Amino acid sequence: MQDFLFSGWGAFWVTLFMLMPFAAMLAYIVYRKSVFDTGPGTTPVKTLSKMEGIWLTFVFVFFVGINLGSLKYMPYIAEARAATSGLPLQEIDVTAKSWGYEMSSRQVEAGRPVRFSGRSVDTQHGFAVYHPDGRMLFTMLLMDGLKQPTTVVHTFKEPGTYKVRCLEYCGIAHHVMLDELTVVKSN
Ligand code: CUA
């Protein structure tokens, strides 16, 4: 089920489903005003502005509140927090070159933030890390010719073997541009 939701059609149906209440409401209002209740409205202006106030408060609390409240779960914010948490970072330098990676290490500890600093020496490559269950955790776009490396800070939660895949088409052997990371229990 979850796999389906994350597919293209899954996203399409979820979006359509979320629009249904609005479509139903619109259809109801149009139907009512054109069949049953065709005259001008009788609701006093005072009630209307009160309802408007209630609606605006709801919109603000619900939509703005949820957005603000979920900010800290955004990958970039979570990363920035990990990077400034004071825990010593595990550093891995990644150099992408058609069609493989050089890495300063392929083993990290779970529960401690890792900073991946990536470069490409020839063309555009990707560096996507996958959880052993197949979920993609993050990806970096590595472009050649940049002065600074591209960095991502990630804290692995569980030990295991994590796959690395290039997600930028980079030539004839793009599909074999794979690697692995081993996440071990922290001491
Ligand atoms: Cu490197 Cu695709």
Side-chain angles (χ1 to χ4, degrees), residues 99 124-126 166 168-170 174 177:
W99 289 279
Q124 277 193 30
H125 293 287
C166 176
E168 288 295 317
Y169 181 69
C170 55
H174 157 72
M177 194 158 170

Side-chain angles (χ1 to χ4, degrees), residues 119-161:
R119 294 174 181 280
S120 167
V121 295
D122 44 27
T123 183
Q124 277 193 30
H125 293 287
F127 183 85
V129 176
Y130 290 76
H131 187 274
D133 71 10
R135 271 180 299 131
M136 188 177 74
L137 298 173
F138 65 88
T139 182
M140 285 198 288
L141 172 61
L142 306 178
M143 302 206 293
D144 55 311
L146 297 183
K147 290 204 175 79
Q148 297 292 326
T150 302
T151 62
V152 163
V153 176
H154 184 81
T155 306
F156 293 93
K157 294 195 180 86
E158 298 142 43
T161 304

Side-chain angles (χ1 to χ4, degrees), residues 60-78:
F60 188 80
V61 170
F62 194 71
F63 291 99
V64 180
I66 284 184
N67 274 286
L68 288 179
S70 59
L71 264 185
K72 67 174 176 182
Y73 299 105
M74 281 182 71
Y76 310 104
I77 307 275

Side-chain angles (χ1 to χ4, degrees), residues 103 106-108 110 128-135 137 156-165 178-185:
M103 284 193 250
R106 282 179 172 74
Q107 184 167 317
V108 294
V129 176
Y130 290 76
H131 187 274
D133 71 10
R135 271 180 299 131
L137 298 173
F156 293 93
K157 294 195 180 86
E158 298 142 43
T161 304
Y162 289 62
K163 290 242 163 19
V164 176
R165 296 187 179 105
L178 308 164
D179 216 301
E180 277 182 0
L181 291 169
T182 308
V183 177
V184 296
K185 274 212 179 79

